[in-house]
Amino acid sequence: DTEVTQTPKHLVMGMTNKKSLKCEQHMGHRAMYWYKQKAKKPPELMFVYSYEKLSINESVPSRFSPECPNSSLLNLHLHALQPEDSALYLCASSPTGLAGNPDTQYFGPGTRLTVL
Amino acid sequence: TQLLEQSPQFLSIQEGENLTVYCNSSSVFSSLQWYRQEPGEGPVLLVTVVTGGEVKKLKRLTFQFGDARKDSSLHITAAQPGDTGLYLCAGVPIKAAGNKLTFGGGTRVLVKP
């Protein structure tokens, strides 16, 4: 099973709303990732958790707040977003998240976020 | 300049034709992945190549990793409309800290029936 699941599939929110994106994997992977993808562009990394610790934050604005409750779950809490934050948000997981070894990332189907 | 350069950016071909997508870098990668992505969906892993000179086949798709592990190619034989999508190469440079995946710019493939 190489499945990463994400909910919701679509989300529309206002600039004053608070919402959360959820991601889950049951492959026993110890690294999980959030990416943001704009139309016709490759995914851009936002955050990496490795062994449930935040290991990379790509200078993401604080209106995006990641959380890793356990090794299978990853959340992205959203608050006071801007219309330019509208994008496809992708979750991924990989076995370790450690450098130096091939560590293939598997992606979820994404959440299409629209900020009004 | 992107760390991983993909070419071409767009390819439109007729069903039954062959196509090749290239992914080039001046950096060495520990491995490279190829993904296919459809609109509004997440990238789906096609293959991971690890060893320099490696060739992997997945039905009509052939993937090659350069001897120096700086480049890769994807060749599709007798393309079908179902091969339409955005093809992304991605990898972690061998000198990178952590597992930060670098993506190529993508190749949009359209196979017309």
Side-chain angles (χ1 to χ4, degrees):
Chain A
D1 182 11
T2 55
E3 191 178 28
V4 177
T5 59
Q6 289 186 244
T7 55
K9 178 83 173 160
H10 300 279
L11 179 62
V12 179
M13 59 186 291
M15 288 190 284
T16 58
N17 292 157
K18 284 186 181 180
K19 296 286 184 185
S20 296
L21 309 185
K22 296 185 182 302
C23 176
E24 191 167 2
Q25 57 88 16
H26 293 290
M27 294 179 275
H29 288 174
R30 302 310 300 272
M32 296 184 79
Y33 309 76
W34 280 116
Y35 288 86
K36 173 182 177 180
Q37 187 177 25
K38 299 287 255 184
K40 299 188 179 179
K41 297 285 187 183
E44 295 174 17
L45 182 67
M46 300 173 73
F47 302 103
V48 181
Y49 274 84
S50 181
Y51 292 83
E52 294 150 58
K53 287 186 170 29
L54 184 64
S55 60
I56 296 178
N57 175 343
E58 289 288 286
S59 301
V60 179
S62 60
R63 56 186 185 270
F64 295 91
S65 175
E67 180 197 16
C68 189
N70 60 58
S71 59
S72 299
L73 294 173
L74 185 67
N75 300 319
L76 186 63
H77 303 297
L78 314 172
H79 175 53
L81 294 194
Q82 303 296 311
E84 59 264 29
D85 296 322
S86 298
L88 182 67
Y89 287 83
L90 295 163
C91 173
S93 72
S94 70
T96 67
L98 300 176
N101 296 311
D103 194 46
T104 299
Q105 294 184 28
Y106 296 85
F107 285 83
T111 293
R112 170 67 60 189
L113 174 67
T114 303
V115 182
L116 300 176
Chain B
T1 304
Q2 282 192 293
L3 191 57
L4 270 174
E5 295 282 345
Q6 254 186 270
S7 61
Q9 289 185 327
F10 179 70
L11 204 50
S12 177
I13 60 171
Q14 291 296 133
E15 182 176 0
E17 292 181 340
N18 301 336
L19 68 98
T20 303
V21 179
Y22 299 94
C23 183
N24 296 301
S25 178
S26 57
S27 298
V28 178
F29 286 78
S30 58
S31 65
L32 276 178
Q33 285 81 51
W34 285 93
Y35 297 88
R36 180 170 64 220
Q37 185 176 24
E38 308 215 9
E41 298 291 329
V44 175
L45 179 71
L46 297 174
V47 80
T48 296
V49 286
V50 178
T51 307
E54 183 176 10
V55 176
K56 280 193 174 178
K57 293 196 175 187
L58 186 67
K59 295 184 182 177
R60 294 174 295 97
L61 278 59
T62 301
F63 303 86
Q64 192 157 6
F65 200 15
D67 290 340
R69 292 185 292 153
K70 293 182 178 181
D71 55 87
S72 182
S73 64
L74 156 61
H75 182 78
I76 301 179
T77 304
Q80 299 177 1
D83 296 324
T84 292
L86 176 66
Y87 288 82
L88 292 161
C89 67
V92 178
I94 205 159
K95 293 183 180 177
N99 194 28
K100 183 177 170 181
L101 201 59
T102 294
F103 281 88
T107 296
R108 210 159 283 282
V109 171
L110 174 63
V111 183
K112 299 175 188 174

